[in-house]
């Protein structure tokens, strides 16, 4: 998977790379987007930035290509020296892009919203995901016992 050394150096299929990268991009976006929105509000910018959502359309294919090539990269003799660069590059790609695009080219919507509402809206996906995971776990526990 992205940034994690594969133990047997197995190559993921194109379908797996697309799926895993979609999950990784969505999770990193959901974690970075509320912070970007909060920083925008702190510096006095109004509204919810739409540009990070648009940037995901570019980041996702790049992440899929990186995931597909990762097993090959890890099998190279120079991998141990390159491991830190790979990890930082993935971090910047997956978490830095929402932050940078939100601050530099925001394409804001809802500029008339009251203060704090854009950050609350940006935080909703991660809160919903957390609630879903908790509810699913409890449902499975009740189903078992």
């Amino acid at each position: 998977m992205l940034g994690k050394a594969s133990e047997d150096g197995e190559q993921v299929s194109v379908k797996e790379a697309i799926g895993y990268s979609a999950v990784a991009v969505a999770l990193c976006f959901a974690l970075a987007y509320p912070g970007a929105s909060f920083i925008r509000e702190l510096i006095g910018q109004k509204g919810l930035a739409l540009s990070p959502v648009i940037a995901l359309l570019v980041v996702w294919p790049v992440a899929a290509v990186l995931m597909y090539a990762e097993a090959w990269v890890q099998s190279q003799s120079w991998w141990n020296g390159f491991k830190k660069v790979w990890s930082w590059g993935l971090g910047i790609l997956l978490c830095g892009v929402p932050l940078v695009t939100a601050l530099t080219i925001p394409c804001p919507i809802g500029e008339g919203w009251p203060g704090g509402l854009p950050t609350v809206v940006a935080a909703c996906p991660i809160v919903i995901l957390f609630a879903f995971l908790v509810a699913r776990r409890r449902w499975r526990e009740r189903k078992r016992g």
Side-chain angles (χ1 to χ4, degrees):
M1 258 194 279
L2 282 172
K4 185 176 181 182
S6 57
E7 287 144 15
D8 17 340
E10 64 187 46
Q11 179 70 34
V12 296
S13 70
V14 173
K15 187 176 179 180
E16 289 173 326
I18 290 171
Y20 289 144
S21 64
V23 171
V25 167
L27 286 175
C28 289
F29 171 81
L31 292 172
Y33 195 48
S37 182
F38 182 69
I39 292 170
R40 279 181 41 78
E41 288 195 62
L42 283 178
I43 61 176
Q45 295 180 354
K46 303 281 186 194
L48 187 64
L50 191 59
S51 59
V53 179
I54 297 167
L56 285 180
L57 299 174
V58 175
V59 170
W60 181 27
V62 172
V65 167
L66 291 175
M67 178 171 284
Y68 185 73
E70 189 169 22
W72 176 82
V73 171
Q74 290 176 355
S75 69
Q76 301 304 308
S77 60
W78 41 265
W79 168 248
N80 287 333
F82 189 67
K83 189 185 312 186
K84 197 172 267 190
V85 173
W86 185 269
S87 298
W88 273 96
L90 286 174
I92 291 169
L93 175 70
L94 298 176
C95 294
V97 169
L99 180 63
V100 171
T101 57
L103 296 174
T104 57
I105 42 172
C107 303
I109 58 170
E111 293 180 271
W113 291 355
L117 186 61
T119 301
V120 169
V121 170
C124 283
I126 199 71
V127 171
I128 291 169
L129 176 66
F130 180 75
F132 169 76
L133 292 174
V134 168
R136 187 183 78 171
R137 182 179 178 105
R138 290 187 183 224
W139 180 72
R140 284 184 176 178
E141 286 175 356
R142 285 185 185 171
K143 192 176 178 181
R144 274 191 234 152

